[in-house]
Amino acid sequence: MDALDLARWQFGVTTVYHFLFVPLTIGLGIFVAGLQTAWHRTGKEHYLKLTKFFGKLFLINFAMGVVTGIVQEFQFGMNWSEYSTFVGDVFGAPLALEALLAFFMESTFLGLWIFGWDRLPKRIHLACIWAAAIGSNLSATFILSANAWMKHPVGYEVVDGKARMTDLWAVLTNSAALAQIPHVIGAAFIVAGGFVLAVCGYWLLRTGAPMWRSAARGALVMTAVAGLVVAGTGDTSARLLYEQQPMKLAAAEGLRHDTAGAGFSIVPGLEIPKLLSFLSTHEPDSVVQGTDDLQRRFEQQFGPGDYRPDETIVFWSFRVMLAFGLTTVGLSLLGLWLTRRRRQFPAWLSRVLLLALPLPLIAVIAGWLLSEIGRQPWTVAGELLTASSVSPGVSLAAVATSLTVFTLLYGALAVAEGVLLVRHVRGGVEEHTPTPVAERREPSLMY
Amino acid sequence: MVELWFVIIAFLWTGYFVLEGFDFGVGMLAPLVSRSAAEHRAGLQTIGPVWDGNEVWLITAVGAMFAAFPAWYAGLFSAYYLPMLLVLVGLIVRGVGLEWRGKVAGTLWCDLGIAAGSALPAFLWGAIFAHLLFGSTSAALLGGAFTLTVCLLHGAVFLALKTTGQVRRRARVAALAAAVVTVPVAVAALSGLGTFPALAATGALAAATALIWRRREGWAFTATAAAVVLTALAVFLQLRVRPLPGLTLAEAASGAYTLTVLSWIGLATLPFILLYQGWSYWVFRKRVQVAG
């Protein structure tokens, strides 16, 4: 173990943890805004109850997304100073844009929404939740284009050992970014949909009140539509991997040698012939490069070294992502069919939806492991190795301290957040008839 | 262009210190100026709608440093590794405490998190920047003590400005108590800089003391805010040639293309940000009443 290993562990732990909350913020924000819009347009009280109920769950979760996000911004400088110095000119720009165009909007309008129930005209108050929710989605767009640049760097040149941006538009419209942004945001909506469905499943089992059915139907539609987006962009991503990150593709398939008409292995030993070639190029007989042959070519290009990622993790994370993601989307399609035209949710379906809560979360985590571990040994593909990215002046003890602190603190907060969410889900909607909003003197929602 | 970006980053940090300065002060003082749960809640509610937006000034300042001066950002954050780690811990427990407080049965843990999470960064930012300027531990401790006490004073004045009744009265007493410590500490800390803005900042703190004594809360808040601005100005004037030891501003800067593009985007967005954030303060301009 050296400082590099621990810095990588810290990045992995803090990023995976951050991304447990982010997808919920992205998807749930829009869902709550949709509920409030429904209330605004129909005046039906159960939409207001649902808005407040899911709004509270959204806020409990939002807090964690915010505070773990600051860690991400600081840790590039703390643990990865060589990386930061090399990429800042390019990579910093989307981060600055994210703060200017998204974070200010998200946080300011969310504050207005929480405390503005009795102070703002209804229409403006509704606009506030939309502004906050759109802010979350915009921020995801910028950070994902920064991330895509690491896998497929474009719009830059290297001057004096540093990347210099030459075209911001190229960075923001990077083909890798355009595939990744809808893929990840779509996945976030699946996670949020799965979360809402689990909560509704619980309440449908307890009361069967019609409002839970309508919320669940909304979440089923959201999950199913997002599922189509994720599947479509996943297909695009596979073809982009073939061109841009052949090593990741080969590792994800456990393909060792360049193969024409390569098959797709579902699990080791069970293979669908020619499917990998077809997915990579839409030509069943095309040649897909294998890890061993790529390794040889990379050595010629970049000098001696091991250019293969951890094949076990990459191979299995790909399968876990596919299996768990597709199961969630399949469940949503099944749910839509079973509850079509005023049909009720069968009890077994509610139970399954409740139990399926972790599936989409596991799928997105697996997706990030595939994405980031699959890029190794590079931080910036073809330009900067992870081993050369770490802060040279930071000691093993310092990184060990911060890894320990974050692990313990995050662990404690995860327990607290879990308890808080469960308690609020069980508490249900406010059952008393709320006083008309304009008459209430004190806001009922203190953070 | 390089200078312009230095000014923008100094502006963002200054905005952060002015706005989060009173958030930190309120976070530390809310338990002290209240005698009941309702009063405690009212105290925290003065910052409830705005603290998260205020924190974005930090996120933007750091993001802008990353983009415009990568070597400065990377050098600063890796050199002050453990203080930055503690800043993060503080911001995490404070943020979670503030957002979860109204949703838990017992508020003790949240209140501890808010108070400790406000005190830690309030102290550490001063310590980090003082160490950056003077390079010694004693200077860091003095700088930390200075920013901690200024945040207490700034927050107490803000509380007095935004509350009513007993909370307001106690906040004034707290402000006077904080001023008794802040002014001498400021003299000690800022005399090390000796520049005009540093001296003016000390003067502004003295003026704030007199104004809060005379119950001119609005003007007292203007004076404490001015003191924070002048201090930040003094610090960034010192850093303008060498933002880090052994690193010039020009060496740290990104290329002309990046700085130009970011300038246009910054100029196009900042007015809107100031506008809607200002509007959110205007919406919540009334003093917070104690419920019940």
Side-chain angles (χ1 to χ4, degrees):
Chain A
M1 277 282 171
D2 53 18
L4 171 65
D5 294 322
L6 291 189
R8 287 189 63 194
W9 266 106
Q10 179 174 321
F11 200 88
V13 167
T14 53
T15 310
V16 164
Y17 191 79
H18 178 56
F19 214 78
L20 295 175
F21 308 103
V22 169
L24 268 181
T25 301
I26 290 172
L28 212 48
I30 297 281
F31 188 74
V32 171
L35 285 172
Q36 192 170 339
T37 309
W39 173 61
H40 190 78
R41 297 183 75 161
T42 63
K44 286 182 186 160
E45 200 185 296
H46 73 269
Y47 284 125
L48 177 62
K49 286 182 179 172
L50 287 170
T51 304
K52 296 211 166 181
F53 174 75
F54 282 109
K56 210 173 246 188
L57 299 177
F58 168 71
L59 290 175
I60 292 170
N61 172 74
F62 181 81
M64 292 294 283
V66 169
V67 298
T68 55
I70 308 175
V71 175
Q72 298 306 103
E73 194 192 35
F74 277 40
Q75 107 173 303
F76 288 117
M78 290 168 70
N79 280 342
W80 305 99
S81 67
E82 290 294 304
Y83 168 80
S84 302
T85 311
F86 179 81
V87 302
D89 195 314
V90 190
F91 189 83
L95 293 195
L97 289 182
E98 185 184 24
L100 285 168
L101 289 166
F103 286 152
F104 270 119
M105 186 159 103
E106 181 183 25
S107 58
T108 306
F109 286 102
L110 195 64
L112 281 159
W113 183 73
I114 298 166
F115 288 87
W117 280 95
D118 55 346
R119 262 171 245 218
L120 293 169
K122 265 169 77 177
R123 202 179 275 268
I124 307 264
H125 185 252
L126 176 65
C128 286
I129 186 70
W130 276 108
I134 290 169
S136 304
N137 282 269
L138 269 180
S139 86
T141 307
F142 288 117
I143 196 68
L144 289 169
S145 45
N147 175 262
W149 186 84
M150 297 167 73
K151 300 166 189 160
H152 181 235
V154 292
Y156 75 108
E157 58 189 5
V158 176
V159 182
D160 300 335
K162 286 176 199 164
R164 291 274 187 219
M165 187 157 68
T166 55
D167 189 349
L168 174 65
W169 187 245
V171 172
L172 295 177
T173 58
N174 186 349
S175 56
L178 293 183
Q180 168 163 292
I181 291 165
H183 192 69
V184 177
I185 293 183
F189 278 88
I190 297 177
V191 171
F195 177 79
V196 173
L197 286 171
V199 171
C200 290
Y202 171 80
W203 275 100
L204 284 166
L205 286 171
R206 259 180 75 166
T207 69
M211 75 163 129
W212 297 110
R213 184 186 177 277
S214 79
R217 286 277 303 174
L220 284 172
V221 172
M222 183 165 97
T223 311
V225 172
L228 291 179
V229 173
V230 171
T233 50
D235 174 60
T236 315
S237 298
R239 273 175 291 139
L240 287 175
L241 282 189
Y242 174 79
E243 291 166 24
Q244 297 169 356
Q245 303 181 78
M247 185 64 98
K248 187 189 283 182
L249 183 70
E253 276 308 319
L255 190 70
R256 296 204 172 272
H257 301 287
D258 297 357
T259 311
F264 180 98
S265 51
I266 296 171
V267 289
L270 180 60
E271 193 176 286
I272 303 176
K274 303 204 176 196
L275 183 60
L276 177 60
S277 286
F278 180 76
L279 288 174
S280 307
T281 58
H282 287 190
E283 299 282 340
D285 292 316
S286 58
V287 176
V288 179
Q289 304 182 79
T291 48
D292 287 353
D293 292 318
L294 278 164
Q295 167 69 20
R296 211 165 19 78
R297 285 191 279 274
F298 280 3
E299 275 180 34
Q300 282 166 8
Q301 193 179 350
F302 300 110
D306 190 350
Y307 298 95
R308 288 165 298 193
D310 185 318
E311 287 170 51
T312 314
I313 297 178
V314 175
F315 181 88
W316 284 107
S317 59
F318 182 42
R319 272 142 199 84
V320 169
M321 174 185 82
L322 273 177
F324 286 50
L326 288 174
T327 307
T328 311
V329 176
L331 264 178
S332 70
L333 292 171
L334 179 70
L336 276 176
W337 172 251
L338 289 172
T339 60
R340 70 193 182 281
R341 287 195 220 120
R342 305 191 179 280
R343 283 179 177 77
Q344 293 304 312
F345 278 73
W348 67 266
L349 181 63
S350 302
R351 214 163 276 135
V352 168
L353 290 174
L354 177 56
L355 293 174
L357 174 67
L359 299 186
L361 273 172
I362 294 170
V364 291
I365 290 169
W368 277 116
L369 294 182
L370 166 66
S371 163
E372 300 303 291
I373 293 178
R375 194 192 56 236
Q376 301 301 325
W378 305 99
T379 41
V380 183
E383 291 287 1
L384 187 69
L385 290 164
T386 308
S388 316
S389 303
V390 74
S391 300
V394 173
S395 67
L396 175 66
V399 190
T401 308
S402 84
L403 175 60
T404 312
V405 166
F406 281 124
T407 307
L408 293 178
L409 182 63
Y410 278 13
L413 289 176
V415 174
E417 153 116 359
V419 170
L420 212 53
L421 281 176
V422 167
R423 185 181 301 157
H424 276 86
V425 168
R426 285 195 175 158
V429 294
E430 293 172 38
E431 273 314 326
H432 64 90
T433 323
T435 7
V437 175
E439 288 169 25
R440 243 183 314 121
R441 296 288 300 276
E442 284 300 311
S444 62
L445 277 166
M446 171 69 186
Y447 271 113
Chain B
M1 197 57 84
V2 172
E3 285 77 18
L4 173 70
W5 269 91
F6 184 76
V7 172
I8 292 173
I9 285 162
F11 173 75
L12 292 166
W13 276 103
T14 307
Y16 171 66
F17 288 131
V18 170
L19 296 171
E20 281 268 89
F22 66 73
D23 290 343
F24 291 148
V26 171
M28 290 183 273
L29 289 168
L32 300 177
V33 299
S34 54
R35 297 287 179 273
S36 69
E39 286 183 353
H40 196 158
R41 229 175 79 146
L44 288 174
Q45 209 171 311
T46 59
I47 58 167
V50 293
W51 72 268
D52 191 16
N54 295 344
E55 196 170 78
V56 178
W57 284 78
L58 170 70
I59 297 172
T60 312
V62 176
M65 270 173 92
F66 195 169
F69 300 102
W72 183 20
Y73 160 78
L76 183 71
F77 280 74
S78 58
Y80 291 94
Y81 194 91
L82 291 176
M84 291 294 182
L85 171 65
L86 290 173
V87 167
L88 286 173
V89 170
L91 293 179
I92 289 171
V93 295
R94 181 187 74 122
V96 170
L98 280 167
E99 298 227 22
W100 285 358
R101 190 176 190 277
K103 304 187 178 66
V104 292
T107 58
L108 178 70
W109 280 101
C110 287
D111 292 335
L112 273 176
I114 295 167
S118 299
L120 265 178
F123 176 84
L124 287 164
W125 285 127
I128 289 168
F129 278 95
H131 192 273
L132 191 58
L133 290 178
F134 301 108
S136 73
T137 311
S138 58
L141 291 174
L142 187 59
F146 170 67
T147 48
L148 181 69
T149 52
V150 168
C151 286
L152 281 168
L153 175 60
H154 192 38
V157 171
F158 182 78
L159 266 174
L161 178 68
K162 295 291 288 181
T163 54
T164 57
Q166 290 297 308
V167 179
R168 183 181 178 186
R169 193 184 59 76
R170 289 187 211 111
R172 174 172 168 270
V173 175
L176 289 170
V180 170
V181 187
T182 309
V183 175
V185 173
V187 171
L190 294 175
S191 60
L193 285 167
T195 53
F196 172 73
L199 297 175
T202 319
L205 288 171
T209 314
L211 287 162
I212 193 72
W213 173 259
R214 301 189 59 183
R215 296 189 168 78
R216 304 293 293 270
E217 290 145 351
W219 285 108
F221 182 72
T222 312
T224 51
V228 177
V229 171
L230 289 163
T231 307
L233 183 64
V235 169
F236 281 97
L237 279 173
Q238 291 301 110
L239 292 174
R240 74 184 188 282
V241 181
R242 288 184 188 282
L244 272 180
L247 181 77
T248 66
L249 202 58
E251 286 165 1
S254 285
Y257 172 81
T258 297
L259 295 181
T260 311
V261 173
L262 286 177
S263 300
W264 285 112
I265 295 167
L267 286 175
T269 52
L270 267 175
F272 289 101
I273 292 166
L274 293 174
L275 210 66
Y276 64 67
Q277 213 173 35
W279 177 64
S280 88
Y281 277 92
W282 189 79
V283 167
F284 301 107
R285 67 196 175 283
K286 283 192 188 144
R287 289 177 187 268
V288 175
Q289 306 275 343
V290 177

